[in-house]
Amino acid sequence: MGTPTYIYSARAVRDSYRAIDDAFAAYPHAIHYALKANSTLAIARLLRSLGSRADANSGGEIRVAQRAGFEARDIVFTGVGKTRDELEYAIAEGVGTINAESAGELDRIAAIARAQGTVARVAVRVNPDIDPKSHPHVSTGLKTNKFGVPLQEARGIYRARRETTGLQFVGVHIHIGSQITTLEPLRRAAAALTSLALELRDDGFVLEHVDLGGGLGIAYEGRPMINPVDYAGAVIPELRRIGAPVVLEPGRAVVGYSGALVARVVDTKCFPDGRTFAVLDAGMGELIRPALYGSFHRIVPVARRAGADSAWDVVGPICESSDVFARDRMLPPLQVDDLVAILDAGAYGSVMGSNYNRHLLPAEVLVDEGKWAVIRRRQTLEDVLALES
Ligand code: LLP
């Protein structure tokens, strides 16, 4: 396929999905895979075949989910800044739940539903001011973040709209952040959500579910980490206080481990201070996580050369000093044309790709049962220029 190319393992997706599903076996639950992590059609279809439902964050993701075979009623529509067009589409299609981000959005949803002569199924996303202890860029549940409505205002927002025509309140929603690696923030989020749901039940609301969002981290460093069993063990005791089914929106924990970005070394050089660079044909246009969040991804040569490990700066070809995958990474000898694999790139890799410096989006390949298939062909310059005059 040439390089750079994303290679995914279907088995790894299945294993991760089932690990979450099994961990929650003792409590009624529905997994709504967060498409934002990776919505390549074949990946979305694979998740659907496993019984997953979908979490869509835009009109585009709703449409992709439908193309992949998800029914509208099996989609939760989340996300800050939903446009009128997106809401009209979601309501007309009858998506399962719209997770509203503000009182104003609820009122716009109600007006659109009335205009369509229908009723929108909604939940309100609450912002509990809980620190997920993750990277600031992926923390969403702090009062300084743009997401949701303040927890203390949520009950009033529901009550004030109890009789509003066009709205049916079916749940409550929370999502405090991503790549969460400790249990306490997750448990506290579940506790806050459950307490609110109990108050709303006292107020006479009949909630079909409580939605815990996503956020479970993965072990990018390869060291032991909290896993789905730990996660379920932390949140289920809280959820039992309400007993309503839980909706989970995991993204990274489902697909993160499944993908590797394979790239080719196009240059090597050594500076007088001893710093040694390996320049790859993939960079922040293919995988922006290291540049954007300083994220760690393991890097391995596809075929290991003999010789001692030494410290390498592994960088991309883009004209930005942030275009760095790793600094001072201990790696075996590398030479021009060697292939390296950047691991755990199945989530928030391909979906965050860009054409910066007119690089073309990479190909994607899915390996399953010893066979492989191209699930996205490499972009061509003609594809890109087709949009331009
Ligand atoms: N639900 C909602 C409402 C979300 O905003 C997100 C992620 C998820 C579920 C899925 O979260 P997960 O289980 O994947 O942690 N680009 C960043 C991650 C951004 C996460 C955005 N929201 C990264 O590469 O680390």
Side-chain angles (χ1 to χ4, degrees), residues 3 6 10 36 51 69 99 110 202 246 261 291 323 347 368 375:
T3 53
Y6 273 100
K36 62 174 75 70
N99 289 330
D202 284 348
V246 66
L261 173 61
D323 187 29
D368 195 11
I375 59 172

Side-chain angles (χ1 to χ4, degrees), residues 3-65:
T3 53
T5 291
Y6 273 100
I7 304 181
Y8 304 106
S9 156
R11 178 191 289 179
V13 174
R14 283 190 200 102
D15 288 351
S16 295
Y17 178 85
R18 290 197 181 121
I20 299 170
D21 202 21
D22 291 349
F24 279 85
Y27 193 85
H29 67 278
I31 299 178
H32 286 249
Y33 166 63
L35 284 164
K36 62 174 75 70
N38 187 321
S39 59
T40 303
L41 277 172
I43 301 286
R45 284 197 198 104
L46 173 59
L47 266 314
R48 185 178 166 272
S49 77
L50 298 175
S52 185
R53 301 178 193 181
D55 162 22
N57 202 65
S58 66
E61 284 188 355
I62 294 175
R63 285 174 170 84
V64 168

Side-chain angles (χ1 to χ4, degrees), residues 34 36 55 138 175 178 214-215 249-252 289 293 348 352:
K36 62 174 75 70
D55 162 22
V138 297
H175 171 81
S178 194
E249 301 172 353
R252 189 188 319 265
R289 303 194 66 258
Y293 320 114
Y348 306 110
M352 295 179 80

